[in-house]
Amino acid sequence: MVITKTRSPIRTNVGLKVVMAVTGILLVLFLILHMLGNLKIFTGETSFDHYAHWLRSIGTPLLPTTWFLWIQRAVLTVAVLAHIGAATVLALRARAARPVAYAHRKKIHVNYAARTMRWGGVIILLFVIYHILDLTTGHLNPQGDPANPYGNVVADFAPERWYVTLFYALAVITLGFHLRHGAFSAFRSLGQQTPKGERRARTAALVFAVVLCAGYLMVPFAVLTGLVA
């Protein structure tokens, strides 16, 4: 009797696309909520510090202080790794299943999109690591005072630290390209595959990416220009 191994549903192309979709939605929701939280800095130091300290107390007394944040970080880390892993496997399978090269124009478009997602993912990952060491743990922050989150942000993006703002802007713009491509692909997967549907999907993906990028860039540039001090 011949025993054949059945591939786990999650390891099929469809399963991996589901993993990418679910983790992508989870990460996008976090990005939206995180952006809205960042914008509270425009409501003043007291309000922003209160919000930052509230984040540390979510779940208490059921959970010890800051446990919710660490659980959230663990879930997001797993989501990021699963997202990257699924994307990598799908890309390798697509390359292996493509014996004939695309036409020149289509090849340029596909390679551009692939490079944007691949290198964009690397830049974003490096930025996330730096961001955690900077504004979460405070190790790379010039002030690093957990009792004064507002002051940490102002110190971080001070005019003399313009290079930090530049790196932040580069990472956020890269994230915008990543989101635009990902959102467009998601809209296509939902059935927007007619010429008119594709135009709508491109527009919706672009608007979403621009709004999110603008929301994240407002804070560092407000500090850099002295609007927030």
Side-chain angles (χ1 to χ4, degrees):
M1 182 176 64
V2 178
I3 300 176
T4 58
K5 292 184 178 179
T6 303
R7 177 183 290 179
S8 170
I10 203 172
R11 296 178 63 185
T12 64
N13 285 354
V14 173
L16 290 172
K17 288 180 180 179
V18 170
V19 169
M20 284 198 68
V22 172
T23 55
I25 290 171
L26 181 63
L27 293 170
V28 166
L29 288 175
F30 168 76
L31 287 172
I32 293 172
L33 293 174
H34 189 49
M35 178 196 71
L36 295 175
N38 287 352
L39 293 177
K40 287 187 69 67
I41 201 168
F42 293 105
T43 62
E45 181 174 0
T46 301
S47 177
F48 184 77
D49 283 351
H50 180 270
Y51 162 73
H53 292 308
W54 170 77
L55 289 177
R56 296 174 178 273
S57 64
I58 295 177
T60 56
L62 181 64
L63 296 174
T65 304
T66 73
W67 270 42
F68 175 83
L69 282 179
W70 284 108
I71 292 172
Q72 179 191 71
R73 289 163 187 158
V75 171
L76 290 173
T77 299
V78 171
V80 168
L81 294 177
H83 195 78
I84 294 173
T88 302
V89 172
L90 285 171
L92 292 175
R93 287 180 182 177
R95 180 178 299 179
R98 189 187 306 146
V100 179
Y102 283 119
H104 183 64
R105 183 178 299 274
K106 189 171 184 180
K107 185 176 180 179
I108 290 176
H109 174 73
V110 171
N111 285 344
Y112 169 76
R115 284 196 300 270
T116 299
M117 297 298 281
R118 181 169 60 247
W119 292 111
V122 172
I123 292 173
I124 293 167
L125 180 60
L126 292 176
F127 170 73
V128 168
I129 294 172
Y130 171 82
H131 193 59
I132 290 173
L133 293 173
D134 180 17
L135 290 173
T136 300
T137 67
H139 288 87
L140 299 180
N141 188 274
Q143 179 170 286
D145 182 5
N148 187 11
Y150 184 96
N152 292 340
V153 174
V154 172
D156 199 37
F157 298 114
E160 62 272 17
R161 286 170 56 85
W162 57 267
Y163 49 90
V164 173
T165 301
L166 180 62
F167 178 48
Y168 188 95
L170 173 63
V172 169
I173 292 172
T174 301
L175 175 64
F177 279 106
H178 198 85
L179 288 173
R180 186 187 66 135
H181 182 76
F184 172 67
S185 300
F187 288 137
R188 277 178 55 89
S189 298
L190 292 174
Q192 298 289 346
Q193 297 186 8
T194 64
K196 186 176 182 179
E198 286 202 5
R199 286 195 297 272
R200 289 177 176 175
R202 288 185 188 279
T203 301
L206 178 61
V207 170
F208 171 70
V210 169
V211 169
L212 201 70
C213 285
Y216 273 101
L217 291 176
M218 285 175 67
V219 174
F221 280 100
V223 176
L224 182 68
T225 59
L227 182 61
V228 172

